[in-house]
Amino acid sequence: MKASNNLIDYIRTTEGYHDKPYISDYEDCIGYGHRGKTKHESLSEEEAYQLLLNDINRIEKYLNILKVEWTQNQFDACVDFIYCLGLDAFMRSVLRRNIVMKKKIDHKCFTGWHYVYDGEKFLSSEKKVARRAWEWARWSGEI
């Protein structure tokens, strides 16, 4: 399965285009929210878009290994969850466990993941609260 164009547009809109490295929630980013240190000092919008598609492609490959019968909404919600929080967070999540074990998924599987670590303590992030709400709405078919 592939991420929908709606999801890609959503990520581009919510992350915004940044041609130079920046800090988001205490992480190094560039382009449309690409996480991690980068060799790039700047990116064109096309290069940023390609980096986004490459990141999404890696996430798609992982999710397709799970052999789940996804709806498009469910797949999009999980791609966004991983794009925003990282594969390590998804691997530790109740969301992943419940998907693999074919258990019920409820809003709590998404909404608890809204904290960022500032080096000293965990803080709630309004951006992540909104993102988890969108993912739950997408998963549940509300949008």
Side-chain angles (χ1 to χ4, degrees), residues 40-91:
H40 304 284
E41 291 183 24
S42 66
L43 289 177
S44 70
E45 198 162 351
E46 180 58 31
E47 290 169 325
Y49 182 65
Q50 287 304 314
L51 191 57
L52 169 64
L53 294 179
N54 291 344
D55 289 343
I56 288 173
N57 184 262
R58 281 191 292 278
I59 295 167
E60 290 167 342
K61 285 180 181 177
Y62 169 76
L63 290 175
N64 285 318
I65 289 170
L66 296 179
K67 305 290 185 210
V68 172
E69 291 185 34
W70 304 99
T71 67
Q72 186 65 58
N73 283 4
Q74 292 169 341
F75 194 80
D76 284 353
C78 287
V79 169
D80 193 63
F81 186 96
I82 295 170
Y83 187 81
C84 188
L85 296 172
L87 186 57
D88 288 344
F90 183 72
M91 295 294 287

Side-chain angles (χ1 to χ4, degrees), residues 13-32:
T13 300
T14 56
E15 293 290 343
Y17 164 63
H18 300 271
D19 64 338
K20 302 220 182 316
Y22 66 101
I23 303 293
S24 176
D25 293 330
Y26 308 98
E27 293 183 87
D28 295 319
C29 299
I30 195 167
Y32 292 106

Side-chain angles (χ1 to χ4, degrees), residues 84-102:
C84 188
L85 296 172
L87 186 57
D88 288 344
F90 183 72
M91 295 294 287
R92 296 188 316 269
S93 72
V94 172
L95 174 61
R96 181 191 173 279
R97 186 184 73 213
N98 285 6
I99 289 169
V100 170
M101 297 179 76
K102 299 183 183 345

